[in-house]
Amino acid sequence: MNLKRLSEMGLLTCISLIIFVVEMQIPLPVPIPGVKLGLANIVTVFAVYRYSPKEAALILLARIILGAIFSGNISALIFSLSGGLLCLGGMIFLRHFIDEKHIYLCSILGAVLHNLGQIIAAIFVTSTLSVLAYLPFLTVSGCIAGLFTGICAQITFNRIGENKK
């Protein structure tokens, strides 16, 4: 990895962290736990198509760990990691089938996988299956948020990301 690529990845990590911190200040639109816009995932979706899987994972992990530290909510780390890693793994797999012109589709499926990962973590943390009741609501909100973040990532990729992968 050369210095320019490392610098780009560092900047993307900072951008996603800033977006994450700003989003924490936005009141939730619905009173359902786990529902949020997920705007920092714009950077993750972009990174999946612009960088190698390892590099995209480094950007995501840095944002999740630093976000937990900055938010002071270390206990939420298990939910962020489970959702983020399942989402990332799914999007890395899907990028082999979904081309750069349809990044928003990968983002929607990634958002649903993120919510599924969080539900799985909640089942383990709470030792109960009752959290599955949230899954339909999280799936719908994930599709909507995933579409929005995917469109933003698509626009970003079209403007600056098509030169190099």
Side-chain angles (χ1 to χ4, degrees), residues 8-139:
E8 286 178 7
M9 290 171 52
L11 285 172
L12 285 175
T13 302
C14 289
I15 290 167
S16 67
L17 190 56
I18 290 168
I19 293 170
F20 174 80
V21 170
V22 169
E23 185 179 357
M24 286 185 343
Q25 305 306 312
I26 300 172
L28 294 176
V30 292
I32 299 171
V35 173
K36 59 185 253 182
L37 297 172
L39 298 176
N41 291 324
I42 294 168
V43 174
T44 305
V45 176
F46 174 82
V48 164
Y49 278 87
R50 169 97 183 212
Y51 297 100
S52 72
K54 177 183 168 187
E55 292 167 333
L58 288 172
I59 292 169
L60 176 68
L61 288 172
R63 191 242 313 153
I64 288 173
I65 292 167
L66 291 172
I69 292 169
F70 287 178
S71 69
N73 195 358
I74 301 296
S75 62
L77 194 58
I78 188 169
F79 297 103
S80 296
L81 280 173
S82 60
L85 292 176
L86 187 59
C87 169
L88 180 67
M91 288 194 305
I92 288 170
F93 174 75
L94 289 171
R95 84 171 184 183
H96 297 294
F97 306 102
I98 299 174
D99 66 2
E100 290 90 358
K101 294 179 180 155
H102 300 95
I103 291 174
Y104 62 92
L105 293 174
C106 189
S107 178
I108 292 169
L109 295 170
V112 171
L113 288 172
H114 188 278
N115 289 334
L116 182 61
Q118 288 185 318
I119 288 289
I120 291 169
I123 289 170
F124 282 108
V125 168
T126 63
S127 299
T128 179
L129 294 176
S130 64
V131 294
L132 284 173
Y134 290 111
L135 192 57
F137 302 105
L138 292 177
T139 301

Side-chain angles (χ1 to χ4, degrees), residues 46 50 155-164:
F46 174 82
R50 169 97 183 212
I155 292 167
T156 303
F157 188 86
N158 291 344
R159 294 207 177 174
I160 64 174
E162 56 193 11
N163 296 332
K164 200 165 47 162

